[in-house]
Amino acid sequence: MTSVAESTAPEVPALNDLPARVLTRQELRELVSAIADDPAAWQPHVAYDDEHRHYVCLHRDANVDVWVLCWTPSNDTGWHDHDISSGAVAVAHGEVIEHNLVIGSAALEIKVPAGQSFHFGPDHIHRMTGAAEGSVSIHAYSPPLWRMGQYAISTTGVLRRTSVSYADELRPVDEPFPDDQERLRDAVLGS
Ligand SMILES: [Fe+2]
């Protein structure tokens, strides 16, 4: 479930004086870390939902968008990319897990506890899940998110990307692709 921070939301000092250009990955990391270190900025937006992840847009302009994401261990983004945006994540409370897709073996899981952060470029594909009840992370993207790629892995292991809006809730796409079996059968018969 998402919403945009209302005008009555507290002022966030770290959002003042943002550069009027696309931010670098290091600048994004410094921005999310500063907001994570300022509980007054994110605590009013915290809520949890096992079924639909709760997230709030703190800020959006032509160059950057900033979000508060709240996590339970049931929350899972599924595999996704951020199209042309770079991003950074700082964990403000609790712990989240960043999963990195590895072809041919189990995903690489990186636990990110409160106080830690990471950044990534547009080439990055990942999946994020909550690790601890009541976790909170701050995310920033530049250029601001517009389209994203949501990935599904079929029962036959075929990876597919679907372009989704930044306003859509990312979640695992586990449905099998019904045409996969047919496609594989045709390939075998044709070989
Ligand atoms: Fe992401």
Side-chain angles (χ1 to χ4, degrees):
M1 188 171 298
T2 183
S3 61
V4 176
E6 297 174 2
S7 56
T8 55
E11 170 139 349
V12 180
L15 294 173
N16 294 334
D17 304 321
L18 290 170
R21 56 168 171 74
V22 169
L23 277 68
T24 67
R25 289 166 57 168
Q26 188 56 38
E27 287 172 331
L28 289 168
R29 190 175 193 173
E30 290 168 3
L31 175 60
V32 293
S33 296
I35 295 173
D37 288 342
D38 177 13
W42 51 264
Q43 276 180 338
H45 306 294
V46 170
Y48 299 99
D49 187 330
D50 281 334
E51 182 63 23
H52 297 285
R53 275 184 308 114
H54 180 80
Y55 48 96
V56 171
C57 183
L58 268 189
H59 175 84
R60 185 177 183 89
D61 64 27
N63 298 299
V64 63
D65 57 347
V66 183
W67 302 76
V68 178
L69 275 67
C70 304
W71 303 89
T72 76
S74 298
N75 293 150
D76 184 346
T77 63
W79 297 107
H80 65 276
D81 66 42
H82 314 83
D83 202 32
I84 63 170
S85 300
S86 293
V89 176
V91 179
H93 187 71
E95 184 173 74
V96 301
I97 301 173
E98 190 204 24
H99 307 250
N100 288 262
L101 187 61
V102 179
I103 303 299
S105 61
L108 181 63
E109 296 185 2
I110 303 169
K111 288 191 171 182
V112 188
Q116 292 194 6
S117 62
F118 60 95
H119 59 70
F120 49 83
D123 57 341
H124 194 52
I125 299 170
H126 71 175
R127 174 178 202 159
M128 290 191 64
T129 55
E133 288 287 353
S135 297
V136 178
S137 55
I138 312 299
H139 300 224
Y141 307 93
S142 186
L145 291 177
W146 188 247
R147 304 297 301 179
M148 304 176 73
Q150 177 88 69
Y151 294 84
I153 303 173
S154 78
T155 51
T156 52
V158 175
L159 183 69
R160 285 201 175 87
R161 180 186 192 273
T162 301
S163 179
V164 298
S165 162
Y166 79 95
D168 294 333
E169 180 187 353
L170 292 170
R171 51 194 305 127
V173 182
D174 294 330
E175 293 85 4
F177 299 100
D179 60 335
D180 268 5
Q181 293 296 343
E182 197 171 332
R183 198 189 304 259
L184 285 173
R185 190 192 63 218
D186 290 347
V188 170
L189 289 174
S191 63

